[in-house]
Amino acid sequence: MASPYPDGDREKVASKLPSALQQALKVRAAELSLDIQDAVEAAINDWRHGTSGGAEVDTAGARSFSTWLPPGLYEQFKETCTDRGVSYTQGLAQSIRGWLDANPSPQHGARGTDPERKIVGNQKGGVGKTAISAGIGEAYAEAGKRVLIVDFDPQGHLSEQLGVPQIEPDHDSLVSHMCGDGSGDLRDLVVEIKDPRFEKRLHVLPACFDGFLLDAKIAVVAMQKRGFQKEAALELALRPLEADYDVIIVDCPPSLGIAMDAALYYGRRRRGEAAGGSGVVIPVLAEDSSATAYGMLAQQIEDLCEDLSLDIDYLGLVVNLYDSRRGYVATSSLDNWKSLGDPKVLAVIGDLKEQREAVRKRMPLLSYAPQSDQAEAMRQVARGATR
């Protein structure tokens, strides 16, 4: 619907737009010193005059959105929607998505790349995924990078270890945003780790108990919504936050399901992105069961790359909790990991007390014991897992 603008040269348009796109539009227009109404006008004109509307956008949970457009433009826009067989909400979402893609953030332009995305995962539990995720995040923040660590494991160990409360069930969360049910800005859920060592650069997106049902929820959404790509759910949720960070680290659950597929997809090499910046860091142990779990994850990565024509880089292995006193099994397993060559072993981290003490104190390792061997190993992993 439309109503006259006070001075007559525009008319008010009331429609709907997903909250993530509303927020991204608001931020991008501010970055480019544009009025939102001028950005929307340009977006609609570009979309109407394009040969096609572009990829379908997930509009589930779209919320009220209004702006001012030149008289007649909204009617022309609706005619184009009808001709292309899409709803007005879908047409507007495609318009805004196209404009955002065509007008990148100056912050991204200055940095020359999307944030590096480190996916820390292994099907086997107890290998230290959480410790590695937190440790390399701390190392990057210590080195001056803006870091977001995503606690993607519903067990919430990373959140707990850093003293960040988990999100209760049925509240706005990463899971609700992945399912298109987000009720607010995902930024509002991000928690800063208040430690002078990191100078406000280290943030955590907490785990949520609803994550235990994520695979089932995503499967239901995929059946209900035409064009919904379940593997892209994590990326759709996190995209609006990317301009705020140089590195995004995802601490994954010990799973081979849809959640892991979504994390791996998020860590793929994007178009124009150099190899070795984003990808998968795999913590392992020096034992046979860890090798079996690694093989299962490698097969999942291979299948996903083949099915969706992706490139997912192995950033490296981290042999964690290593103790040569455990004898031949430990030493021979370490030799086997090193002999792989690709992926390379980024670091061998001993089974030492500092990490356990830091967890007990709910402190970042690099603050609790910055000079420890474990802290230095985390810095080594961070250096090795980047281009």
Side-chain angles (χ1 to χ4, degrees):
M1 57 177 294
S3 57
Y5 193 60
D7 60 11
D9 66 343
R10 285 182 178 262
E11 57 186 10
K12 185 176 183 180
V13 173
S15 186
K16 289 186 175 182
L17 191 66
S19 58
L21 281 181
Q22 291 190 37
Q23 179 65 20
L25 172 64
K26 179 180 178 181
V27 170
R28 191 68 49 80
E31 290 176 334
L32 300 175
S33 300
L34 292 174
D35 286 335
I36 289 180
Q37 63 187 23
D38 293 330
V40 177
E41 178 185 348
I44 289 177
N45 280 324
D46 290 345
W47 183 78
R48 289 187 57 246
H49 295 134
T51 56
S52 65
E56 183 169 342
V57 177
D58 181 10
T59 59
R63 299 182 178 279
S64 297
F65 174 77
S66 61
T67 189
W68 298 89
L69 296 176
L73 179 58
Y74 192 56
E75 291 302 318
Q76 296 168 358
F77 163 76
K78 292 193 289 185
E79 290 175 3
T80 304
C81 289
T82 300
D83 291 341
R84 293 180 180 172
V86 299
S87 68
Y88 303 153
T89 299
Q90 179 63 217
L92 182 60
Q94 290 184 12
S95 300
I96 300 304
R97 180 72 269 166
W99 182 84
L100 289 168
D101 290 343
N103 295 271
S105 166
Q107 295 186 42
H108 276 187
R111 197 164 63 226
T113 182
D114 290 330
E116 295 183 0
R117 300 167 312 285
K118 319 293 185 182
I119 311 304
V120 182
N122 195 333
Q123 182 269 343
K124 179 177 172 58
V127 298
K129 294 184 293 293
T130 295
I132 303 302
S133 297
I136 64 174
E138 294 160 23
Y140 283 124
E142 180 185 65
K145 295 183 180 292
R146 301 169 299 162
V147 180
L148 175 66
I149 309 176
V150 179
D151 191 350
F152 199 42
D153 187 342
Q155 296 176 90
H157 293 320
L158 188 143
S159 300
E160 181 181 359
Q161 289 180 15
L162 293 176
V164 176
Q166 281 203 63
I167 297 173
E168 295 293 331
D170 301 321
H171 285 65
D172 198 33
S173 67
L174 175 59
V175 169
S176 63
H177 282 262
M178 289 178 65
C179 296
D181 297 326
S183 59
D185 188 342
L186 199 59
R187 286 182 180 84
D188 294 338
L189 304 179
V190 172
V191 177
E192 176 191 330
I193 301 302
K194 297 184 182 299
D195 189 300
R197 190 174 197 90
F198 310 118
E199 297 182 348
K200 300 183 178 182
R201 292 188 296 265
L202 182 61
H203 297 154
V204 172
L205 181 57
C208 53
F209 292 103
D210 287 348
F212 285 108
L213 302 175
L214 177 60
D215 278 13
K217 287 176 177 285
I218 290 292
V220 170
V221 174
M223 289 189 295
Q224 293 176 339
K225 298 179 184 176
R226 180 172 61 89
F228 179 84
Q229 184 182 356
K230 59 184 183 297
E231 295 86 359
L234 181 61
E235 179 159 316
L236 289 172
L238 293 179
R239 269 287 200 179
L241 281 65
E242 289 188 353
D244 298 336
Y245 299 100
D246 302 299
V247 181
I248 295 179
I249 298 164
V250 181
D251 179 28
C252 295
S255 165
L256 294 175
I258 295 174
M260 193 65 205
D261 277 347
L264 293 170
Y265 182 89
Y266 184 61
R268 78 194 185 283
R269 193 191 316 159
R270 292 176 178 172
R271 183 180 302 175
E273 185 175 15
S278 298
V280 188
V281 175
I282 307 176
V284 297
L285 302 179
E287 60 177 39
D288 294 342
S289 63
S290 198
T292 301
Y294 165 75
M296 297 171 68
L297 178 61
Q299 186 62 56
Q300 182 177 13
I301 294 172
E302 181 179 333
D303 291 345
L304 195 65
C305 288
E306 183 176 347
D307 292 344
L308 299 179
S309 299
L310 308 178
D311 290 311
I312 298 176
D313 293 328
Y314 289 86
L315 301 181
L317 304 171
V318 180
V319 182
N320 195 31
L321 302 175
Y322 179 72
D323 187 345
S324 61
R325 293 174 300 178
R326 291 175 182 149
Y328 173 74
V329 171
T331 57
S332 61
S333 294
L334 177 60
D335 290 340
N336 288 339
W337 288 125
K338 289 181 175 180
S339 69
L340 287 178
D342 185 16
K344 60 187 175 182
V345 173
L346 298 172
V348 179
I349 302 178
D351 186 7
L352 304 174
K353 64 178 183 177
E354 287 83 3
Q355 176 67 43
R356 293 190 293 272
E357 292 173 351
V359 169
R360 174 63 64 88
K361 290 180 174 292
R362 303 291 190 266
M363 288 182 64
L365 172 66
L366 270 65
S367 292
Y368 174 73
Q371 306 304 321
S372 66
D373 289 344
Q374 286 175 315
E376 183 52 40
M378 297 302 179
R379 298 183 184 102
Q380 181 180 336
V381 174
R383 289 192 297 267
T386 195
R387 55 175 174 265

